[in-house]
Amino acid sequence: MPESLSRRTVLRGTGLAVATTLLSRFPAGASALPVLGEYDVVVVGAGAAGMTAALTAARRGLSCVVVEKAPTFGGSAARSGAGIWIPNNPVVLAAGVPDTYAKGAQYLAAVVGDGSSPVRQKAFLDNGPQMIAFVMANSPLRFRWMEGYSDYYPELPGGLPDGRSIEPDMFDGNLLGAELANLNPPYLPVPAGLVVFSAEYKWLNLATVNGKGFAVSAGCVGRYLSATAAGQKPLTMGQALAAGLRAGLMGANVPVWLNTALTDLNVEGDRVTGVVVSSNGVPGLVRARRGVIVGSGGFEHNAAMRHQYQQQPIGTAWTVGAKENTGDGIQAGIRVGAALGLMEDSWWGPAIPLPDEPYFCLSERTLPGSLIVNQAGSRFVNEAAPYSDVVHVMYNRNPAAPDIPAWLITDQNYRNRYLFRDVLPALPFPDAWYQSGAVLNAWTIEDLAAKAGLPPAALRATVDRFNGFAFSGADSDFSRGRSAYDHYFTDPGVFPNSCLAPLWEAPFYAFKIVPGDLGTKGGMLTDERARVLRADGSVIKGLWAAGNASAAVMGHSYAGAGSTIGPAMTFGYVAANDIATS
């Protein structure tokens, strides 16, 4: 039975979409539009899913074009750390990681449960390693193991405490030539004079208090000097991933049309046969002889869709997803009868609403000497838990015990030891952070509570209790430090529990915490071949989807670093292969 019939994944709007489809099989006037081109495959979106799909289609002998709404390529992937979670992949096996297909299958089933169908989980496990090998064979991209970056639930059967995630190796931007100027910029630029891999950020946080942290930081400087001396333009993380995939498309002669927004799907008879686009403001039709693959991202920047499908409070100001992700592909799918799944969920994470943009908070909430409290001044979660879990708890508890916003509490000892976003230890935070209300400070816990609107006595009692846990090494309330994952973004020089340290040195700080996200994870329901499904489980001919335009194979969970990009690339690869063999 397709998962569309097995869970709450069929959401409101599907029935209306089917009715609309019966009344109008193709966009009004589409046949009168100028034809901008005709290809075997049209791919919507130049992110990780779309570019992987296009590369696969081209190397399978199909003519292909990528249409991209933004003036840049790369989407949210280019902005990201570019972790890629795929069990039993050739990169981790070459590095000696003790992974197997069976371990990956056991772990994925334990994490996801019935959040997606077993056949889709199997398709991901079967095709993920092949996709990585294919990308390396058909682009300049190379990958490296993110050593030590634990699976998010390593204690579950098949989980790996040292992780199975990979990330791009350094990529020379010169390989793109003039096209490099069209690369979507990163969410947070790498500090000047460094070449940093995603797995190294945990050590940069500790550069002033840990020998390995200092050594890794020095290595990042040396890597930059070597690259620039060789005349390279070194790129890492999401910049390397997007640039490498784009270089692969250039080598395969796949055109990427920027500033070309999807406005609808073209349907003739019972089949999707192309896309209606607005290219630099000019409408037109791009025909697809074999199929359309939608990899246009989620709907995180569509306030109306977030209000319709997701819990409140929500908006578009707390996401770090690409600003062009407004659900265009999902809405076009609805109009041709696509069923939807997981629309209520996102790739959540605690965020600090800084005035320039939200800051997705990874290490800062996990490093010792920090805790998170609700509006009653009480802790309510293991702060070091996987970031999606923390926000799920925030939403689940908020109606009865308000915690949106919550507050991350730290002290000056914490500030003296650790990097915070891009502010070096001991240095003052920008005035704008305080002026916006996202950051507060005070010389006593009680005064800090008053500024944050928290009960002073309650916050004092919470900090005192937490300090007791720090001295004993055991968090009796929320078990912070029990999982190996909890210790990834921590300070190994802190004993007896590297997740816990007392707050004692004034001044004290409070950072506003809201439900941020990397993007939404709900979209069109697809089968194990990435074909888009109707609510009755039937296939919409000519239409495939991958990435955040489709309902995530991860269900409501998050297996490890790269659980967004790994499946996105894999199902882009699956979709193109399915078209090639259909």
Side-chain angles (χ1 to χ4, degrees), residues 147-166:
E147 183 176 1
Y149 204 145
S150 171
D151 283 340
Y152 288 177
Y153 308 95
E155 290 75 30
L156 289 178
L160 297 183
D162 283 331
R164 45 172 56 103
S165 299
I166 61 175

Side-chain angles (χ1 to χ4, degrees), residues 163-259:
R164 45 172 56 103
S165 299
I166 61 175
E167 63 174 310
D169 210 336
M170 191 181 77
F171 180 86
D172 182 6
N174 288 318
L175 295 176
L176 284 183
E179 186 66 6
L180 181 62
N182 294 324
L183 174 60
N184 198 23
Y187 156 58
L188 283 178
V190 172
L194 301 178
V195 175
V196 185
F197 294 113
S198 190
E200 292 176 328
Y201 267 102
K202 66 167 287 184
W203 296 110
L204 296 188
N205 294 327
L206 307 174
T208 63
V209 296
N210 180 278
K212 184 172 180 179
F214 179 82
V216 168
S217 300
C220 293
V221 174
R223 194 181 295 133
Y224 173 81
L225 295 174
S226 296
T228 53
Q232 298 177 331
K233 295 179 179 178
L235 303 176
T236 57
M237 298 181 283
Q239 296 287 280
L241 178 64
L245 288 171
R246 184 68 185 92
L249 294 185
M250 292 168 66
N253 297 313
V254 176
V256 176
W257 297 356
L258 302 177
N259 297 297

